[in-house]
Amino acid sequence: MKNKIGIIGGGIGGLTTALTLKRNNLDFKLFEKSTEFKEVGAGIGMSSNALKIFDKLQIGDKLRKKGHLIKRTILATEKLKTLKEFPFPDELYCIHRADIIDVISNELDKSSYELNKELISIENNETVKVNFKDTTSFEFNTLIAADGINSNSRKAIFPEIKIRKANQVIWRGITDFDINSDLKHTYHELFEGTLRFLFLPISDTKIFWLAVQDKKNFKKDASISLKEYLLETYKNFDSKIVNMLHKTAESDILENELADIKPNYKNWYKNNTVFIGDSIHATTPNLAQGGCQAIEDAYTLGLCLKNNRKTAFADYQKLRIKKVTYIVKQSWMIGKMSLTNNRFKKNFLLLMLKYLPKKQYQNRFKRVVNIDYLKKLENV
């Protein structure tokens, strides 16, 4: 086992790492705490940076067939009055997270991973020993932690790194819906004071929606269901939004509190353990880049390990940290600006959304999806 690379976590980041290592003929073993590879029932925006990497890993077209192409954005009021409309400057698909997990995991050999392996502790010295709840242990020269924002690996190696709460609640749901010409290939985002509502097609017949509320205004009585609460909270929104909520089954609504990791980290690695994705630089979803950045991490780290094991961790962090820091900061700022009780700030936000040049939105998107830095690794 000592010559293998260990991977903790079988989500999108961990599986992409495994596939990258496989394509580069590097020996590894992946561990997932669940009894199967699975993801929560929600969608994810897959922009061109991630899709281009999946093209390099030979699964890009399989994923495109699973999703719905998004061609334009519409920013609007709660009544769907358009404030700004602009096309995406590059491809973007909305895909169910579970479909991504299925496509990647099906590319892996069953002998390269183990399920039902819950991490208990890490002994991180000259080699890395990982201990699991079932009393088994494994030893590696390199350990890659991809176990999400609540990472047990990070708590063991970097206990000083804390999760930062945004004090906003988010709900996600998927429902059957009539995807007419107004909705097809379109991402909508609606703003109303301390409420936001976002929706986009995830297929030709289903809508993926997200609702966000300032946490201090979240006051659900225990006597009503979550669906009833959302219908009451968003009752003044356009009838399409109310209809989406009506059509969504209560069991299909997911609730979370938004959080990230403040980008003041010094290192993404210690000794022989290195972190990727949400385990080290979790971001709020306002730029739809959490999963995409984990994919970039996975591919970049895999190439660094292939090119030079001795400097791989430092090379990987140097290539990735500037972009990730920008995305985490921008996403946090957008989230904070988008919800407000103050009438003046609300009106200012609507004016800014309406009159900010389209090029500014598109230039930010281009910066976020740029992966030219990978040429340095691929040409080695």
Side-chain angles (χ1 to χ4, degrees), residues 130-149:
V130 288
N131 304 305
F132 296 100
K133 189 175 182 179
D134 62 4
T135 72
T136 59
S137 297
F138 296 81
E139 198 168 350
F140 300 98
N141 284 337
T142 298
L143 184 69
I144 301 170
D147 47 348
I149 188 171

Side-chain angles (χ1 to χ4, degrees), residues 37 66 74 104 109 212 214 235 250 283 304 333 350 357:
F37 291 121
K66 296 283 188 180
I74 292 179
I104 306 174
D109 303 320
V212 186
D214 195 318
K235 65 182 179 182
E250 173 89 18
T283 181
C304 288
M333 179 190 72
L350 296 179

Side-chain angles (χ1 to χ4, degrees), residues 31-70:
F31 301 95
E32 163 57 33
K33 69 178 180 179
S34 298
T35 55
E36 60 182 335
F37 291 121
K38 62 181 180 180
E39 263 287 0
V40 293
I44 183 174
M46 192 63 60
S47 49
S48 60
N49 48 334
L51 288 165
K52 287 175 181 176
I53 286 172
F54 283 135
D55 284 337
K56 298 172 190 291
L57 295 174
Q58 304 161 36
I59 59 170
D61 287 341
K62 290 181 182 179
L63 289 168
R64 289 179 180 90
K65 289 176 183 177
K66 296 283 188 180
H68 187 94
L69 178 64
I70 306 298

